[in-house]
Amino acid sequence: MGKRVAVVLAGCGVFDGSEIHEASAVLVHLSRGGAEVKIFAPNIEQRDVVNHLKGSPADEKRNVLVESARLARGNIQDLAELKVSEFDAVIFPGGFGVAKNLCSWAVDGKNCTVNEYVNSTLQAFHSAKKPIGLCCISPVLAAKIFPGCEVTVGQDKNVDGRFPDAETASAIAELGCSSA
């Protein structure tokens, strides 16, 4: 039997949800590795909605769980239902939704708040000494929740230039964590 892995999404779309390439790559690699995967997302309203064709804000409301269901092909559960005892690891793909919907890093930086279910999920996996995978901007979650931890973030701007990773690394350091 393969490992049981929970994947936590933050919506659907690089600018306001989970980055589709990252989420897909995580799911493909877990599948190829024989893992049993269950997908979760918080049942909350998105911070904002972006028209990905124009790259500008859209005047509408969307739900993170409903949007994440697009990537999960409908096979998804509310993050509030995740039980750490049923999994061997958890992975959070990146995308601006992490910094907007799973926490408020996009607006508040190091002073951000973390969604209560994201926080309790990470705390539970950490307490159980189970692996936690954090992609792209997701390491800010650990930096906020686990003072003194070591995470990996880039030092240059991302391809789209929207997340200056040097600034992110600096803010992570201000939280008392180190980044590579």
Side-chain angles (χ1 to χ4, degrees):
M1 182 177 180
K3 297 290 184 185
R4 300 164 299 161
V5 181
V7 175
V8 180
L9 299 179
C12 181
V14 65
F15 300 129
D16 60 5
S18 291
E19 209 291 334
I20 295 169
H21 290 105
E22 290 176 20
S24 297
V26 164
L27 295 170
V28 165
H29 285 283
L30 289 171
S31 174
R32 287 181 179 167
E36 178 186 333
V37 176
K38 294 212 184 226
I39 304 171
F40 296 86
N43 188 7
I44 57 173
E45 188 174 297
Q46 285 186 194
R47 177 175 184 78
D48 58 29
V49 177
V50 174
N51 175 327
H52 283 70
L53 180 61
K54 296 180 180 178
S56 59
D59 187 27
E60 59 185 275
K61 302 286 184 199
R62 293 188 184 178
N63 178 282
V64 173
L65 179 60
V66 172
E67 287 300 296
S68 296
R70 294 172 184 270
L71 290 170
R73 296 178 167 179
N75 189 11
I76 193 167
Q77 292 177 276
D78 186 337
L79 183 58
E81 298 172 16
L82 189 150
K83 294 177 181 62
V84 70
S85 62
E86 297 177 1
F87 297 94
D88 299 303
V90 64
I91 300 177
F92 288 75
F96 282 103
V98 171
K100 292 179 174 182
N101 302 325
L102 302 189
C103 70
S104 63
W105 187 276
V107 175
D108 301 322
K110 67 180 171 114
N111 299 316
C112 73
T113 57
V114 178
N115 171 278
E116 65 178 300
Y117 296 112
V118 170
N119 190 328
S120 63
T121 296
L122 288 168
Q123 291 281 1
F125 275 87
H126 184 264
S127 294
K129 297 184 176 6
K130 294 183 177 183
I132 299 170
L134 302 163
C135 307
C136 191
I137 192 63
S138 294
V140 300
L141 298 170
K144 184 63 181 182
I145 296 170
F146 306 118
C149 71
E150 183 176 339
V151 298
T152 302
V153 294
Q155 299 300 313
D156 298 320
K157 287 186 179 181
N158 288 341
V159 174
D160 64 9
R162 292 182 179 246
F163 251 145
D165 289 331
E167 289 176 27
T168 301
S170 176
I172 286 170
E174 289 179 36
L175 286 170
C177 300
S178 61
S179 62

